[in-house]
Amino acid sequence: MKKTPEEIAADMADIARRRRQQQRPQKDTSPTAVRGDVQQVLKQLQQLRAGGNLPQYDYDTLRRQYEMQANADVQQLQQQARVHRTEKLLAQADLNSDWTFANMDMNDPALAHHIETAHHFINAFDHWEKKGGTGILLYGDFGTGKSTLAGAIAHELIHQHQKSVIFQQWASVVDRLFFGVIEDQESRNKYRRALEEVDLLVLDEVAANRSRLAESQSSFLGHLLRRRRNLSKSIIIISNHDPQSLHRAVGDFCFEAIKAFHPVDIALRGPSRRPDIGDYRS
């Protein structure tokens, strides 16, 4: 059978390829030959260095420089992650940005001791997380600085200790869970879990202007506090009631849950520290 011109051309190309392979010298890959190549390269490097054409390197110094740069890069990434987490924590906490220790009068004799107590609470926060959580009961008249002090504690825990905080008016909690502000059940359950599990829960104006909470609210608050106690999560409760009248306002079940945290009582007294409105003086 005669081959086509294409097949003849392919055979000729294959013969030419084989001849080229036979003529190409084979590289010696034996250990002796490899050592010889290495020695030749080293000799060339030495000649270049002796002629001043190859820079001198202090490899220990280079290694330290690379390690320092790597550490600096890691620290920068950690700092960026910390800033991002702080922003998220502040958004979740919903804090007034003015509620900081810097905006409180450290020379005010009515505040100085309470500010010191607040710093003790902050510094021991990790300790109390391992001991079942702790609490602060802040009480006094309107405008005496209760929310500001609690907010300053929250800001410090977020910025310095990266703790999660929720700061809520009690009336807002009630509206969300009892009066349909949060409409679907799944979202209500998510909100309830957040109240239970956040590192610090601050409840403001508990039983404000009320001689007694509704039974459903008192029961919910009592169960919420017991759940947090079981999870070793701390609380701050802010009220216009002193401990005795708060007991009457929330009932035995709820007040016993508050007592389980062994809260520190901080009574803020004196005139309102809020700015006056026009010529009106409170």
Side-chain angles (χ1 to χ4, degrees):
M1 181 177 178
K2 295 181 64 177
K3 291 187 177 181
T4 64
E6 290 79 6
E7 291 173 331
I8 294 172
D11 289 344
M12 295 293 291
D14 186 52
I15 292 170
R17 180 179 59 79
R18 290 179 184 177
R19 286 179 177 175
R20 286 196 299 271
Q21 288 179 344
Q22 292 173 355
Q23 294 172 357
R24 185 182 302 160
Q26 297 295 317
K27 183 175 178 62
D28 187 355
T29 58
S30 65
T32 302
V34 170
R35 282 195 296 271
D37 290 342
V38 172
Q39 292 299 323
Q40 184 178 2
V41 171
L42 289 174
K43 184 177 180 180
Q44 291 174 348
L45 288 173
Q46 290 169 355
Q47 290 173 348
L48 287 171
R49 180 168 291 167
N53 296 319
L54 191 67
Q56 296 285 341
Y57 291 106
D58 183 343
Y59 291 102
D60 287 336
T61 300
L62 284 174
R63 179 175 56 80
R64 286 193 296 270
Q65 290 175 346
Y66 287 135
E67 288 176 351
M68 289 174 61
Q69 183 61 51
N71 290 335
D73 291 342
V74 170
Q75 290 174 0
Q76 183 178 7
L77 290 173
Q78 290 174 336
Q79 181 62 25
Q80 291 173 350
R82 184 182 181 90
V83 169
H84 180 64
R85 174 168 169 76
T86 298
E87 290 172 350
K88 290 182 63 176
L89 291 172
L90 287 171
Q92 173 186 277
D94 196 22
L95 293 169
N96 186 325
S97 60
D98 291 332
W99 289 343
T100 64
F101 288 115
N103 289 329
M104 302 184 73
D105 185 0
M106 299 290 291
N107 297 318
D108 186 338
L111 291 176
H113 175 69
H114 300 321
I115 292 174
E116 183 180 356
T117 301
H119 281 295
H120 286 312
F121 176 83
I122 294 166
N123 294 333
F125 197 84
D126 287 332
H127 166 77
W128 286 112
E129 278 190 323
K130 302 172 184 177
K131 301 292 183 179
T134 187
I136 294 178
L137 173 60
L138 277 165
Y139 62 94
D141 292 332
F142 293 105
T144 52
K146 303 183 300 297
S147 298
T148 301
L149 182 58
I153 293 172
H155 269 116
E156 196 77 5
L157 284 171
I158 290 172
H159 283 286
Q160 302 301 326
H161 300 273
Q162 298 283 278
K163 300 299 182 181
S164 59
V165 177
I166 291 178
F167 192 116
Q168 291 277 273
Q169 300 274 332
W170 175 245
S172 177
V173 175
V174 171
D175 287 344
R176 295 181 185 205
L177 294 178
F178 290 86
F179 294 105
V181 171
I182 301 177
E183 296 182 356
D184 64 286
Q185 186 62 45
E186 182 178 351
S187 296
R188 283 198 297 273
N189 290 340
K190 184 178 180 180
Y191 177 65
R192 185 181 293 109
R193 285 195 299 272
L195 296 177
E196 293 173 349
E197 297 173 4
V198 70
D199 292 328
L200 175 65
L201 176 64
V202 183
L203 295 175
D204 197 2
E205 295 187 355
V206 174
N209 294 328
R210 291 180 177 272
S211 60
R212 187 168 181 84
L213 283 181
E215 186 65 30
S216 58
Q217 295 181 27
S218 175
S219 176
F220 171 77
L221 180 56
H223 284 294
L224 171 62
L225 295 177
R226 282 171 168 77
R227 174 62 175 160
R228 289 190 60 78
R229 177 66 175 168
N230 290 339
L231 295 175
S232 296
K233 302 297 184 180
S234 296
I235 61 164
I236 295 178
I237 292 180
I238 306 170
S239 180
N240 303 119
H241 293 279
D242 62 25
Q244 290 73 31
S245 63
L246 181 64
H247 186 177
R248 293 190 294 271
V250 301
D252 292 340
F253 176 76
C254 185
F255 196 71
E256 287 299 316
I258 295 173
K259 287 168 59 179
F261 286 89
H262 306 288
V264 176
D265 296 351
I266 296 180
L268 287 170
R269 308 192 187 279
S272 174
R273 293 178 173 83
R274 291 173 180 154
D276 294 318
I277 302 175
D279 294 330
Y280 176 77
R281 301 289 184 268
S282 58

